[in-house]
Amino acid sequence: MKKIDLLQAPFVQEMIETTTNLYRLGWDERNGGNISYLLQEEELAPFLDLTKVIREIPMIFDASALAGRYFIVTGSGKYFKNVAKAPDNCLGIVRIKPDGKTLEVLWGLSEDGLPTSELPSHFMSHIERLKIDPEHRIVMHNHATHLLAMTFTHELTERALTRTLWQMCTECLVVFPEGVGIIPWIVPGTNEIGEATATKMQDFRLVVWPHHGIYGAGKDMDEVFGLIETAEKAAEVYTYVMAQGGVKQTITDQQLHALAKGFGVTPREGYLA
Ligand code: 2HA
Ligand code: ZN
């Protein structure tokens, strides 16, 4: 059967729009940032012959929990700035083989490109999020500027950082009532950082990488982008607040409790007095 041009596929358009927006926001300089997006076979079938494997790529960790699954991913070393003009070079569609240690490239990653160097963090996070949320589909990493800056100036505990973000914009508690997770500083691209990130993903959809950036997870592009953008906005407000001389008044814990009640969310246990 004749296939439709893959560049018309909604998920390709979403990858292009999102990477372009992230570049414009200044959160993905050079090759910074990466996205992986779980796709269903039915979504791909109108566009791709799924029996045609272009090449195979070995992986250094076990992703057998994702065997047979399809992802569209950003490419290693690719610039978000360039995705719109060269999608088949900057993006790729891959399937995980039954052994869990090999990727089959079905589209893109032209010129022998590789998937994002942060694949261990992405795949391990997908595995953990899927256990909690069957609708989960997307993992996104970027270098959101003000959040990154706060990892130098703010107390680096999950409770303290979460509380500050909740206080900076009223909607934060509603958007991420579970708070933000934080891992230690670890060399990027390693299995170790992948394991640390995925462990945090059992409790949080937002995970801060100190002095590096942020990870977000969720069921669709708007949700994940919105999550990171909301936390980043709070971090930006915090930056202005500190530049203006610091906090003189804030949203009280009592008000945050009232907010949670009004919006039907449950703040992480022990984070509010
Ligand atoms: O892909 O952002 O963390 C480049 C990075 C690595
Ligand atoms: Zn990064």
Side-chain angles (χ1 to χ4, degrees):
M1 212 174 70
K2 177 115 174 59
K3 298 288 178 186
I4 308 167
D5 175 13
L6 186 78
L7 296 180
Q8 307 300 319
F11 47 83
V12 174
Q13 289 299 320
E14 282 179 275
M15 290 294 279
I16 292 173
E17 271 169 31
T18 305
T19 49
T20 303
N21 280 335
L22 286 163
Y23 174 69
R24 295 246 170 271
L25 284 161
W27 304 346
D28 293 284
E29 71 290 343
R30 201 174 181 272
N31 64 319
N34 24 77
I35 304 175
S36 57
Y37 183 172
L38 176 64
L39 300 173
Q40 307 302 331
E41 195 164 297
E42 311 83 76
E43 283 177 287
L44 279 166
F47 304 97
L48 277 185
D49 177 353
L50 300 174
T51 63
K52 274 210 184 114
V53 175
I54 300 168
R55 65 195 155 92
E56 295 193 347
I57 298 172
M59 292 192 293
I60 54 165
F61 61 99
D62 182 7
S64 44
L66 297 172
R69 301 276 204 155
Y70 299 84
F71 288 89
I72 184 163
V73 297
T74 51
S76 177
K78 303 302 178 189
Y79 293 23
F80 277 17
K81 172 173 83 65
N82 297 337
V83 176
K85 63 181 176 206
D88 74 319
N89 185 255
C90 298
L91 304 174
I93 294 175
V94 295
R95 177 173 57 206
I96 295 131
K97 281 185 74 159
D99 67 1
K101 294 213 146 191
T102 316
L103 288 177
E104 297 174 310
V105 178
L106 301 167
W107 173 82
L109 298 175
S110 66
E111 298 171 348
D112 282 332
L114 295 173
T116 168
S117 59
E118 300 295 359
L119 209 60
S121 291
H122 280 250
F123 280 0
M124 291 180 200
S125 293
H126 282 293
I127 292 168
E128 291 309 320
R129 290 306 307 172
L130 283 166
K131 287 181 195 164
I132 302 157
D133 176 9
E135 288 190 56
H136 162 84
R137 293 181 77 178
I138 294 174
V139 171
M140 184 185 294
H141 163 63
N142 62 53
H143 302 163
T145 313
H146 300 84
L147 281 168
L148 204 174
M150 275 182 83
T151 67
F152 294 87
T153 60
H154 196 278
E155 184 186 331
L156 260 187
T157 62
E158 287 163 350
R159 185 175 185 275
L161 185 64
T162 297
R163 283 179 54 82
T164 297
L165 296 175
W166 283 352
Q167 287 164 350
M168 290 300 120
C169 299
T170 294
E171 65 168 6
C172 281
L173 174 70
V174 179
V175 176
F176 50 92
E178 80 271 42
V180 293
I182 306 176
I183 60 164
W185 187 93
I186 304 172
V187 177
T190 57
N191 284 352
E192 193 192 354
I193 203 167
E195 280 157 15
T197 306
T199 301
K200 288 295 173 188
M201 285 280 179
Q202 294 166 359
D203 293 312
F204 303 95
R205 289 165 300 150
L206 282 170
V207 178
V208 171
W209 282 13
H211 323 316
H212 184 145
I214 182 96
Y215 263 75
K219 70 176 180 334
D220 61 42
M221 209 60 98
D222 276 352
E223 184 183 291
V224 184
F225 198 111
L227 191 59
I228 293 178
E229 169 173 68
T230 305
E232 168 61 13
K233 176 62 181 275
E236 185 174 3
V237 172
Y238 177 78
T239 307
Y240 285 124
V241 167
M242 296 316 273
Q244 288 178 13
V247 174
K248 294 225 167 40
Q249 56 276 320
T250 189
I251 315 172
T252 65
D253 281 21
Q254 201 180 6
Q255 288 169 330
L256 288 169
H257 277 299
L259 179 69
K261 195 160 173 258
F263 282 84
V265 297
T266 309
R268 175 169 293 274
E269 178 91 38
Y271 277 26
L272 294 179

